[in-house]
Amino acid sequence: MPGDNAAKALIDTLNGLLADYFALYLKTKNYHWHVKGPQFHDLHLLFDRQATELFALTDVIAERVRKNGGNTLTSIGAIACRTAIADDDRSGVDAMAMVAALRDDNAALVKRIRAAKAAATEAGDNATEGMADDWTDQAEQRVWFLSSILG
């Protein structure tokens, strides 16, 4: 039977992952709103689709925290304290710099998802462990799409 420390570590890891999803969602929407240039239309739609995909998982991850007996993030400040995704408050970012930043952030997210999966394994939470495979696949697809744009 997994120990209390493993459950606490899983909750902590999931909350960090949740913070990353919120931060990456907001960054992706920022880029969606502010992208310019020859690829405007395609990038505008891609960023919106990716943001929607990111946001859809926030509730799923938060519910995994609650099902494991933890409390979820409660505010923007809590997200800011827990995320590993760097803010980008600029509105005038070059379109390809946006693509590169989102590619790198999604690649970092893959690592955080894998850490969450490992924590779920340690805690004996096979539901989260299985879901993490789908989350990884989605993040890897975002990395692939964004990498393909950069050539």
Side-chain angles (χ1 to χ4, degrees), residues 14-24 73 78-79 82-83 112:
L14 285 172
N15 271 321
L17 184 62
L18 180 60
D20 285 348
Y21 267 88
F22 273 118
L24 187 52
L73 305 173
I79 292 167
R82 304 296 301 273
T83 187
R112 290 277 281 222

Side-chain angles (χ1 to χ4, degrees), residues 57-151:
L57 286 176
T58 58
D59 197 51
V60 173
I61 296 167
E63 287 177 358
R64 293 310 311 156
V65 171
R66 297 295 294 147
K67 288 176 183 177
N68 277 283
N71 291 319
T72 60
L73 305 173
T74 56
S75 66
I76 297 294
I79 292 167
C81 288
R82 304 296 301 273
T83 187
I85 303 295
D87 268 344
D88 190 349
D89 293 332
R90 302 171 296 162
S91 61
V93 180
D94 173 77
M96 290 304 109
M98 290 176 176
V99 171
L102 293 178
R103 177 205 55 206
D104 295 348
D105 288 341
N106 277 284
L109 188 66
V110 169
K111 292 178 183 175
R112 290 277 281 222
I113 296 166
R114 288 184 177 143
K117 180 177 178 162
T121 301
E122 184 68 25
D125 179 1
N126 64 334
T128 299
E129 188 179 0
M131 289 177 179
D133 291 334
D134 291 333
W135 305 340
T136 300
D137 185 54
Q138 288 180 16
E140 287 176 339
Q141 184 172 12
R142 288 189 299 272
V143 170
W144 171 45
F145 273 49
L146 296 163
S147 295
S148 294
I149 292 167
L150 294 169

